[in-house]
Amino acid sequence: MPHWRRSIILACAAWTLLVFGAAGIAVMAGYAGALEQARAAARVAFEKDLTFRRWNTMHGGVYVAVSDSAQPNPYLEVRERDLTTTDGRQLTMINPAYMARQAYELQQLTAQVQGHITSLNPIRPANHPDVWEQEALRRFEGGATEISSIETLNGKRYMRIMRPVHTEELCLKCHAQQGYKLGELRGGISVSVPLDSTMAGFHEQAAKTVGGHALIWAIGMGGIIVGGRRLGRSIQQEQQARHDAETASLAKGEFLANMSHEIRTPLNGVLGMLQLLKEQNTQEERDSYVDMAYDSGNRLLGLLNDILDYSRVEAGELKIDRQPFRPLGLLESAANVFRLACEKNRLEFILKADPNLPELLLGDEARLNQVLFNLLSNAVKFTAKGSVTLEAWSRETNPGEVRLYLSVTDTGIGIPESKLDHVFERFTQVDASRTRRYEGAGLGLAIVKRLVQLMGGSMNVESELGVGTSFTMQVPLALPPDAAQAAPVQRPATGGAQESLRLLLVEDEEVSRLSAQVMLSRLGYEVVVAKNGQEAVETFRTGGIHCVLMDIQMPIMNGLEATRAIREIEQAQGLPRTRIVALTAYAMPGDRETFLASGMDDYVTKPVQPEALLLALRKVKLGGQPKPGQIPLEQNGAGPEEN
């Protein structure tokens, strides 16, 4: 077996032991906590019972009217045990032991927590200890102060706890004839707390713990196997390639060392805030917990998106699109997002756009936007004070072609000169120590460089430690053939003209459907919903739909089948092509291409982010499908709407 395969097996085994060992420790800690919770409840019950007994003792017993449930205590031999009031009522003394016995008998009928007062030499036979209590009393004689264990009573598991009761001064009034002396062990009180509800909570929490660790294990295993195979192929190449593979292996080792932390931290944030939300909180606390959980979820989503994007790039599945877009619109979109982030961190955001920038260019706006967002996110994250500057300009190279330059400059911590040559390598961070201040998996800049290279461009970085960093990229882009006549792509607004767009949202999962419907409505769209592909097709037949947001996996008829049915309706009735956007959790390499090949026009992954949804919807044109009763467009002298 090749050495690299043995390494993969050992890494998988070590990762499995590490993750499931951590899960086991967490589960055992939860179990111990559940038992301690039950033990604490038993101690509270014991202290309550002892307090009531002491109150009775302090008053020398209490008198109650003789009744069927309060007969004179035949085991109590004291003067004035029974009295007759002036009006002829019969009273009897209820001493502490008698009171405790009656209370415990009532508990057996009305409460789950059970108590029992006993001794090795009880006056009343019913107070005789059971086997477990006898053993506890003997250990009290040896100096023990508390005995607890899990026992089964009447087929149910209980946490049993017992503490000794010593003779106090006032106790001698009733028990002096038994030969007890002050401070001497007189017996004990046992309390039994049922474990069913406590264990149910523990099992629920344990299931969540195991599930979370299983997710971490699966992601880690995927990283180990994918990375290991690439490493194995590199080892079989020439010496220089082998040296590069060894360097990559070292960087990957650092990545695997912190991947568990990078996933656990936001996952812990989400689960922790949701746990707090289950409790009683003020509105301000609830809002704060929701914000924290949302931020943690976005951080985890960003990490998974980076891993998937890098996987696509490495697998050669990522394709560069060439569509008209407005450079100024690209800059404004980034500025609108990061100006708010800078304000939150008390930073100045500066946008410098060359007035000679072309109105339209041909290129992949989504990938350029992804590059800008990565660079700006890093700039904001590593800048404590000062400013973040986004600058854009262009230079004409050949007729019909320009080079677009984008620069992101910050006044942050800077990068050491020794690290400048490595910042674009995968799984690499300037500070990979356990004391580092800034989180991250080391994939962002690697993705940026590969995207720029796929677009035929290049990246450059300049930095001075403690002064700041500047990333500059340049990509060759073409001018549209009829740039002067081409109409710029319309951006959707949050109201106004956007309100005339009618969307069909197809989603079978209730929470996802509600989330997307509310999001779209707040953006100013008219939203019609369908719960499966068959409902979507029937709704489409009624007309008036400008765009379809289509889930993929659904009952009755899935999204791909529904898309084909809609295209057949358009072809049969001579309707213009309606834009269909896949709205799905399928995000593996090749999924996007499969959906587009089935007849869809765009692709947005879940969890749905408003920015990604707006970017897909900005290409929807008004007009769309005719409303019921309208004549198809080509019969009215108009051609099909361009996609």
Side-chain angles (χ1 to χ4, degrees), residues 32-48 113 146 148 159-161 163 191 193 195 198:
L35 294 184
E36 187 57 32
Q37 180 182 352
R39 193 175 289 111
R43 288 171 180 155
V44 170
F46 174 89
E47 292 295 339
K48 171 182 65 66
V113 178
E146 182 183 283
S148 66
M159 168 61 72
R160 299 198 70 182
I161 183 173
R163 286 184 175 180
V191 178
V193 177
L195 289 176
T198 302

Side-chain angles (χ1 to χ4, degrees), residues 87-393:
D87 59 356
R89 287 186 300 161
Q90 297 295 316
L91 302 180
T92 187
M93 178 187 290
I94 303 296
N95 68 323
Y98 194 18
M99 181 187 71
R101 178 177 66 82
Q102 287 193 330
Y104 294 151
E105 288 175 352
L106 184 61
Q107 277 185 340
Q108 293 177 0
L109 300 175
T110 62
Q112 291 184 328
V113 178
Q114 303 295 318
H116 188 223
I117 182 170
T118 185
S119 68
L120 289 174
N121 184 28
I123 299 175
R124 182 176 180 273
N127 290 343
H128 192 79
D130 60 23
V131 175
W132 183 85
E133 291 171 333
Q134 288 179 6
E135 177 62 23
L137 289 170
R138 293 191 185 97
R139 293 174 66 180
F140 291 155
E141 292 179 341
T145 59
E146 182 183 283
I147 304 298
S148 66
S149 65
I150 299 174
E151 302 293 332
T152 300
L153 300 175
N154 300 322
K156 293 184 178 181
R157 298 178 70 205
Y158 285 81
M159 168 61 72
R160 299 198 70 182
I161 183 173
M162 189 170 184
R163 286 184 175 180
V165 175
H166 296 86
T167 303
E168 298 176 0
E169 181 69 32
L170 297 175
C171 298
L172 296 176
K173 175 181 178 181
C174 299
H175 296 281
Q177 70 273 19
Q178 290 180 267
Y180 288 120
K181 298 179 181 179
L182 188 64
E184 185 179 20
L185 176 68
R186 193 170 87 241
I189 295 177
S190 69
V191 178
S192 301
V193 177
L195 289 176
D196 288 351
S197 60
T198 302
M199 287 298 101
F202 159 72
H203 290 147
E204 181 180 354
Q205 188 61 40
K208 294 178 180 178
T209 299
V210 172
H213 283 75
L215 174 63
I216 295 171
W217 173 81
I219 294 175
M221 289 289 284
I224 293 172
I225 293 173
V226 172
R229 287 176 177 174
R230 290 174 184 156
L231 177 61
R233 289 193 295 267
S234 298
I235 292 176
Q236 298 172 3
Q237 296 175 356
E238 56 182 330
Q239 184 63 34
Q240 184 60 43
R242 185 179 297 111
H243 172 73
D244 293 341
E246 290 172 356
T247 303
S249 177
L250 179 61
K252 185 185 66 178
E254 294 179 355
F255 163 73
L256 293 176
N258 70 59
M259 180 56 73
S260 176
H261 174 270
E262 290 302 315
I263 295 176
R264 284 172 183 264
T265 298
L267 185 61
N268 181 69
V270 173
L271 295 178
M273 292 304 103
L274 292 178
Q275 182 66 32
L276 290 177
L277 284 171
K278 293 172 64 178
E279 303 173 1
Q280 292 185 352
N281 304 289
T282 65
Q283 184 62 46
E284 182 178 356
E285 288 173 332
R286 286 195 295 270
D287 292 342
S288 175
Y289 297 156
V290 169
D291 288 342
M292 292 179 186
Y294 184 77
D295 291 342
S296 296
N298 276 334
R299 179 174 161 192
L300 181 59
L301 175 62
L303 176 61
L304 295 177
N305 283 340
D306 281 348
I307 294 174
L308 289 173
D309 280 344
Y310 195 83
S311 176
R312 290 191 188 100
V313 172
E314 290 291 284
E317 300 284 349
L318 197 62
K319 306 299 181 184
I320 299 301
D321 197 8
R322 284 170 57 87
Q323 295 291 335
F325 73 95
R326 294 174 58 246
L328 283 177
L330 173 71
L331 299 175
E332 291 166 0
S333 175
N336 289 337
V337 173
F338 287 95
R339 186 175 286 111
L340 294 176
C342 286
E343 289 177 359
K344 181 179 179 181
N345 291 278
R346 298 182 179 179
L347 302 174
E348 181 184 6
F349 184 86
I350 302 171
L351 174 61
K352 297 180 179 179
D354 188 339
N356 295 321
L357 275 176
E359 175 67 21
L360 286 178
L361 289 173
L362 288 178
D364 195 326
E365 182 181 9
R367 295 306 171 187
L368 287 171
N369 188 68
Q370 184 177 358
V371 169
L372 271 185
F373 269 55
N374 265 293
L375 294 178
L376 287 168
S377 294
N378 273 354
V380 173
K381 179 167 67 171
F382 293 108
T383 304
K385 60 181 180 179
S387 64
V388 173
T389 302
L390 171 60
E391 191 172 0
W393 67 97

Side-chain angles (χ1 to χ4, degrees), residues 13-46:
W15 177 251
T16 301
L17 289 174
L18 174 65
V19 173
F20 287 96
I25 293 173
V27 170
M28 291 304 296
Y31 180 75
L35 294 184
E36 187 57 32
Q37 180 182 352
R39 193 175 289 111
R43 288 171 180 155
V44 170
F46 174 89

